[in-house]
Amino acid sequence: MTSRFASLERAELATLVPELLLIGQLIDRSGMAWCISAWGREEMAQVAIEEWAGSSPVYTRRMQRALKYEGTDVITIFKGLQLDIGAPPQFMDFRYDVQDRWHGTFHLDHCGALMDVEPMGESYVRSMCHDIEDPTFDATAVATNPRAQVRPVHRPPRASADQRPHCAWTVVIDESHHPVTPLAPYYVIERTRAAVVELDPIDETDEGLADYSGDLLADVDFGAFSHSALVRMADEICLQMHLLNLSFVLAVRNRSADEAQAVDITTKQLIGIAGIAAERIHRALRLPDGPAGALRTLELHPLLNPTAYVAATVDGSTLRVEPSDATADGAWIALCGPEEPRPLQAAVRAIDPHLDVEITGDAGSWTATLVRRDDPAPEPGEVAVTRFSTGASFEFESRTSIPIMVL
């Protein structure tokens, strides 16, 4: 099936792709607050470790194959980070240096995630920058080379509010290193349908870059890629979000007292990200207001993409959903339906608070019809929680793409 993103112009896709990367980062802001409420800070950190370690090796390899930069060196690791929802450009402002294929460094001139947790106190900073980062950086690197070690030079807590860079790390690949092995959740996530879904190949005759096999760039110029390559990137990034969410669901279920608690936490996560994602997509692409703009936003929303994974059709004022690989996996769309309208409500009300959805059908096949109410609905509490992140209002800037030379 043709990607829904194929309907966008090349320039629109170049705007949307970094937006999707940032939206993927905000999934944690949407979900972790409810984990803290249920189990406390320390257990929240363990959920985050399992969530990222379970999914990132799977989606990192997918992007490597799609954009033809597979390898075993530091350059491959750095390219993967640039196209990873865990490190969205500028919001997580990674700056890279490469000494040779097996030695590199990076630092963060700006860490949006740090900006989000610093107001919560030093214990939360240590949870993120120490407890979570150590195993998840290695888990990401293992997708490229199990003998890669990502180690801190310095990291928060910061000595002062103006300390720059926020953190610095070395990446060393050496045959003498003990190889890293994936954590247990990885072996579950690699068997999901999201892990193996096939997407349309990139058309190498399309104008622009068809892959990222060339030089490592300080800042990826998404506008240099072809329309076809950008479509594939957008679909792959949406799959990154689904894989991350499936890993989050697994971690939550492993801790929940019962299925009702697991569904409650994962649904709240979806409501929060559904609203913020819709708001950012609508604003970035300058889509129209009202019902037409809301439906167009839904078409491009990660909840309903990629087409090869989520069976959904927008026609007129309705959204039709059928059983798909996503429902079989228990992905986001499986949390929506006649009994649970709140995620879709959050998405359309991010465009216009007067909008609502009426859903008919059953849990497998259902139709959501967009309607307008006289009174505006208040912002859902789950969306307000996600809006706590500085990423909700973050604005990208234009940057020049410069190749990084091997020293």
Side-chain angles (χ1 to χ4, degrees):
M1 298 178 68
T2 301
S3 169
R4 296 186 189 94
F5 297 116
S7 62
L8 292 171
E9 299 293 330
R10 183 179 172 190
E12 292 175 316
L13 285 164
T15 297
L16 180 63
V17 165
E19 285 287 342
L20 291 174
L21 287 167
L22 178 53
I23 288 166
Q25 167 73 198
L26 297 180
I27 292 171
D28 261 6
R29 304 305 178 276
S30 181
M32 290 308 165
W34 311 110
C35 294
I36 294 170
S37 177
W39 305 301
R41 174 183 56 80
E42 292 183 359
E43 202 62 31
M44 173 277 296
Q46 290 303 310
V47 170
I49 291 167
E50 294 172 23
E51 170 196 36
W52 289 97
S55 58
S56 65
V58 177
Y59 66 62
T60 295
R61 293 190 184 107
R62 284 192 60 99
M63 191 68 86
Q64 288 176 351
R65 291 192 298 270
L67 292 180
K68 297 182 178 179
Y69 61 90
E70 291 176 280
T72 60
D73 57 12
V74 166
I75 294 169
T76 306
I77 292 173
F78 288 171
K79 286 182 178 181
L81 285 170
Q82 290 178 320
L83 299 172
D84 189 320
I85 58 175
Q90 300 183 28
F91 183 70
M92 305 288 287
D93 199 7
F94 282 67
R95 304 287 89 196
Y96 302 99
D97 284 304
V98 180
Q99 287 73 58
D100 57 47
R101 289 184 62 197
W102 315 115
H103 300 82
T105 61
F106 65 83
H107 65 268
L108 270 70
D109 279 345
H110 174 270
C111 178
L114 177 63
M115 298 298 97
D116 291 346
V117 300
E118 268 191 337
M120 301 170 69
E122 185 173 311
S123 61
Y124 280 91
V125 172
R126 288 190 177 277
S127 286
M128 184 184 73
C129 300
H130 295 246
D131 302 339
I132 296 172
E133 292 289 15
D134 285 350
T136 55
F137 266 142
D138 279 352
T140 298
V142 77
T144 299
N145 193 317
R147 296 186 188 275
Q149 290 186 351
V150 184
R151 298 294 181 265
V153 177
H154 69 83
R155 54 181 164 176
R158 293 190 290 170
S160 64
D162 59 355
Q163 182 182 337
R164 294 288 192 279
H166 287 171
C167 64
W169 301 74
T170 62
V171 183
V172 177
I173 299 171
D174 193 294
E175 284 301 310
S176 68
H177 291 166
H178 184 73
V180 177
T181 56
L183 298 185
Y186 165 79
Y187 298 103
V188 177
I189 300 305
E190 71 168 349
R191 297 196 300 271
T192 62
R193 299 189 184 194
V196 297
V197 65
E198 293 189 13
L199 300 174
D200 291 338
I202 295 171
D203 181 359
E204 296 188 0
T205 67
D206 204 4
E207 180 181 356
L209 295 175
D211 57 53
Y212 193 13
S213 61
D215 292 333
L216 172 68
L217 302 173
D219 295 281
V220 176
D221 177 10
F222 293 103
F225 286 90
S226 70
H227 180 272
S228 179
L230 289 166
V231 167
R232 180 61 181 269
M233 280 188 207
D235 277 337
E236 289 287 355
I237 294 166
C238 287
L239 275 177
Q240 289 187 16
M241 295 189 228
H242 287 293
L243 287 161
L244 184 72
N245 173 62
L246 291 172
S247 202
F248 175 75
V249 170
L250 176 65
V252 167
R253 282 187 170 147
N254 284 342
R255 288 163 174 80
S256 294
D258 51 42
E259 181 64 11
Q261 183 189 40
V263 170
D264 179 59
I265 291 172
T266 54
T267 302
K268 285 177 175 176
Q269 178 245 58
L270 173 56
I271 295 168
I273 196 62
I276 295 297
E279 179 182 289
R280 289 200 64 96
I281 291 168
H282 180 264
R283 181 171 63 237
L285 296 179
R286 300 178 181 179
L287 298 175
D289 295 329
L295 284 167
R296 181 57 172 154
T297 302
L298 277 180
E299 281 189 296
L300 303 173
H301 199 289
L303 170 64
L304 302 180
N305 286 286
T307 309
Y309 186 60
V310 187
T313 306
V314 173
D315 182 18
S317 62
T318 62
L319 165 68
R320 177 70 180 172
V321 172
E322 300 289 349
S324 61
D325 285 346
T327 49
D329 275 346
W332 276 329
I333 199 66
L335 294 174
C336 304
E339 302 301 318
E340 185 51 272
R342 291 180 296 166
L344 289 176
Q345 288 173 332
V348 300
R349 287 171 176 167
I351 313 308
D352 184 338
H354 292 88
L355 295 178
D356 199 357
V357 291
E358 294 179 347
I359 305 178
T360 58
D362 56 41
S365 301
W366 47 266
T367 299
T369 302
L370 207 62
V371 296
R372 185 175 180 83
R373 307 298 187 192
D374 291 335
D375 296 323
E379 180 173 79
E382 296 85 352
V383 176
V385 166
T386 312
R387 194 179 299 285
F388 170 80
S389 171
T390 56
S393 58
F394 185 82
E395 295 185 9
F396 292 100
E397 63 182 28
S398 178
R399 291 188 178 180
T400 301
S401 186
I402 302 172
I404 295 176
M405 297 294 101
V406 178
L407 301 178

